[in-house]
Amino acid sequence: MTKYYKVAGHVFSLTLTDGCTLWPRLGQYAPFETEGVTEPVFSMELLPGTYEADPSREVVYDAPTEDGQTVVKLFRERDGWTFEMSPDSSRACNAHLCTGPDFRQGRLYLDNRRVSDAIFAINNSLMLLFAFTTATLGTLELHASMTGNSGRAFLFLARSGTGKSTHSSLWLKHIPGSELMNDDNPVVRVWPDGSIMAYGSPWSGKTPCYRNVEAPAGAFVRIRRSAENAITPLRLPEAYALIYSSCSGFKADRAMADGLHATIEKIVTTIPCYVLDCRPDEEAAMVCAAELLK
């Protein structure tokens, strides 16, 4: 069985065996389901069997991780690429995603039958393929918390655990008219007419927020812990660095890197970017909203 999904205007497909018991566990994708009427940017299929590594493969990405962190490794093979994944660095990588040279065809193999591992692998694989295949199409998949207000989307960016989700929750509590659009992986797209739109996605980290919503991007804000609350506009180089460090993609690939650069350049020259030095309190939300909503 194949299902099609549309995120930020991009269609992709997922194929599982008929009657697969994993479909009910993938309800987060239901709001994005669509008819397969256009050529998908990528397709992914979950296949039976065990992945057999190419002995000549080359390690391209294998970042150090701490206990409990997600593991993602990338290898170059003769006919394309392979990702190895684990939801926890203390466990072996039991999921392997094999793709062609352009990442548009994915084949996912699971080395165990644990349902939670399968869902992790499907979600991570779809998220990676989406980021990689749309990077040259004016699209960024971002690590951010996104709150809507007054018809615009405001994206709060920071390292994990620094307070972006906390700041969104402060808006929901103290700034009337606020709504959570996505809490971990929103998508921003620059359209050919120059409009810059922000979208919800089927991926939202630990907070379930899988909403098929969209709004014009209103601002990007770096959250930085401080004893005082103050918001300051970022200069262009700082704004570029903020968004570059928060977007997903294979930045060693020339075409992908060029695509990301072009998209970020259009964003930072069009949409205001700030740093919010703040405490995790009501005043921080009020200070931020006073600037962004003026």
Side-chain angles (χ1 to χ4, degrees), residues 6-284:
K6 182 185 287 187
V7 177
H10 300 296
V11 174
F12 61 90
S13 71
L14 172 64
T15 301
L16 307 182
T17 56
D18 291 346
C20 180
T21 58
L22 293 176
W23 282 121
R25 304 294 187 99
L26 297 170
Q28 69 204 70
Y29 293 89
F32 303 89
E33 193 166 350
T34 188
E35 297 295 328
V37 295
T38 59
E39 179 73 16
V41 291
F42 73 86
S43 300
M44 191 181 84
E45 182 177 7
L46 178 61
L47 294 175
T50 301
Y51 165 76
E52 295 185 8
D54 177 352
S56 65
R57 68 181 186 172
E58 171 193 356
V59 179
V60 176
Y61 176 82
D62 184 8
T65 56
E66 298 179 0
D67 288 347
Q69 287 185 322
T70 296
V71 176
V72 177
K73 302 177 183 180
L74 178 61
F75 301 86
R76 189 192 307 272
E77 300 201 357
R78 284 172 296 183
D79 300 321
W81 308 90
T82 295
F83 297 88
E84 287 188 353
M85 293 169 281
S86 172
D88 190 315
S89 57
S90 65
R91 292 163 52 191
C93 291
N94 290 316
H96 298 85
L97 173 67
C98 303
T99 81
D102 59 4
F103 300 99
R104 294 193 61 191
Q105 299 292 331
R107 306 176 309 281
L108 178 62
Y109 299 89
L110 304 176
D111 293 350
N112 68 41
R113 300 179 63 84
R114 185 180 296 176
V115 171
S116 60
D117 285 1
I119 298 303
F120 161 80
I122 291 171
N123 285 332
N124 244 40
S125 297
L126 291 174
M127 194 162 50
L128 284 165
L129 292 176
F130 184 90
F132 282 28
T133 56
T134 63
T136 58
L137 302 174
T139 304
L140 300 181
E141 182 185 289
L142 290 165
H143 182 48
S145 183
M146 183 168 72
T147 298
N149 192 294
S150 304
R152 291 176 291 165
F154 301 105
L155 294 99
F156 304 122
L157 300 86
R159 294 193 187 99
S160 295
T162 306
K164 56 187 181 298
S165 294
T166 297
H167 193 74
S168 279
S169 69
L170 291 170
W171 273 61
L172 300 181
K173 185 176 181 179
H174 300 295
I175 310 302
S178 297
E179 60 172 333
L180 186 64
M181 299 176 70
N182 185 276
D183 201 38
D184 200 54
N185 292 102
V187 176
V188 175
R189 183 172 183 180
V190 178
W191 288 86
D193 65 0
S195 60
I196 300 176
M197 300 294 293
Y199 300 85
S201 81
W203 313 291
S204 190
K206 296 178 181 178
T207 303
C209 185
Y210 312 117
R211 303 181 61 202
N212 190 0
V213 293
E214 63 181 84
F220 296 81
V221 183
R222 178 188 175 191
I223 304 299
R224 187 167 63 185
R225 282 284 166 255
S226 174
E228 301 297 330
N229 294 316
I231 188 167
T232 308
L234 290 175
R235 298 174 300 158
L236 285 179
E238 297 168 328
Y240 181 95
L242 170 66
I243 297 178
Y244 182 83
S245 64
S246 300
C247 69
S248 300
F250 183 27
K251 296 164 184 175
D253 179 88
R254 181 62 180 271
M256 210 177 295
D258 287 348
L260 294 173
H261 170 76
T263 302
I264 296 171
E265 182 180 28
K266 291 175 183 176
I267 289 173
V268 299
T269 55
T270 306
I271 307 298
C273 299
Y274 301 87
V275 58
L276 177 68
D277 292 296
C278 63
R279 303 183 300 267
D281 60 15
E282 177 182 355
E283 184 189 72

